[in-house]
Amino acid sequence: MVSAIGNNSYGNIQRIGVSSDNRVVYRVIDSEGKDAGKMSVAQEDVDKFEKSYIDIMSTAPKIKEYVAKNSSPEDLQRRRLMSGLCVGTGGLLGAVIPSFFTKGKGVTKKVVSSVAGLVIGLAAGFATSLSVSTPPGAFKFARAARNLSKVDLKPFSDDNKLRATRM
């Protein structure tokens, strides 16, 4: 039985069976509907492969749309400015807030708490900047791509035997 994994305008893959060496075989179909080849995946990696493929195919259009809308020089400059403001504000607040809580304490305690607050504030500013300036779905896309790089994928030739199985 053939089962499609993610149908989209970029093409898709279809699970077509299991090879004689117990690997799941997929047919790759390009965006024009033509056969682009076959590949096999180790049994233990099938779920990870299919989930990662679906995640990539669902986030790719969102990232493409975001880049098309936000790639002008003005947009890039605005995002750079916003990122700088996030990091700067985080660092400033991180350094200033502890100094209010250490009023009347020793100078050493004030300096140490302000430096620790600065580091924490800068980290929070970087995290905020990253979340504000990153396209929607980029983290999911990156995680899926990283997972795919760990999957045991091999090209499948018609010389190999394909066992008929129920999917």
Side-chain angles (χ1 to χ4, degrees):
M1 179 174 157
V2 175
S3 128
I5 315 296
N7 240 344
N8 58 64
S9 62
Y10 299 109
N12 64 40
I13 60 173
Q14 295 175 332
R15 186 189 291 198
I16 59 173
V18 178
S19 67
S20 58
D21 57 348
N22 237 12
R23 296 173 63 85
V24 177
V25 179
Y26 294 91
R27 177 182 15 226
V28 181
I29 301 170
D30 67 12
S31 60
E32 297 171 357
K34 297 177 185 165
D35 229 2
K38 294 179 182 144
M39 64 182 164
S40 68
V41 178
Q43 284 282 353
E44 61 271 7
D45 291 335
V46 168
D47 290 338
K48 184 188 292 187
F49 169 73
E50 289 183 4
K51 181 178 179 344
S52 297
Y53 177 81
I54 290 167
D55 287 349
I56 286 175
M57 289 301 135
S58 68
T59 57
K62 295 174 191 170
I63 294 170
K64 183 179 178 182
E65 181 182 330
Y66 180 87
V67 169
K69 286 182 183 176
N70 299 300
S71 61
S72 72
E74 297 83 25
D75 288 330
L76 294 174
Q77 184 63 30
R78 182 180 47 81
R79 275 201 310 282
R80 264 191 223 112
L81 177 65
M82 189 174 14
S83 291
L85 286 172
C86 288
V87 173
T89 303
L92 182 66
L93 288 174
V96 171
I97 290 174
S99 66
F100 287 120
F101 290 114
T102 55
K103 271 192 178 167
K105 308 287 183 187
V107 173
T108 306
K109 215 174 227 185
K110 235 181 184 177
V111 169
V112 169
S113 65
S114 289
V115 169
L118 174 67
V119 171
I120 292 169
L122 286 173
F126 278 118
T128 304
S129 167
L130 189 61
S131 68
V132 166
S133 61
T134 304
F139 294 119
K140 188 175 185 180
F141 185 94
R143 184 174 51 251
R146 189 174 49 248
N147 286 341
L148 273 181
S149 71
K150 297 174 187 173
V151 169
D152 181 17
L153 282 172
K154 291 183 181 175
F156 183 81
S157 68
D158 290 329
D159 302 340
N160 297 344
K161 301 256 189 235
L162 187 63
R163 269 190 334 207
T165 59
R166 290 186 181 240
M167 297 285 154

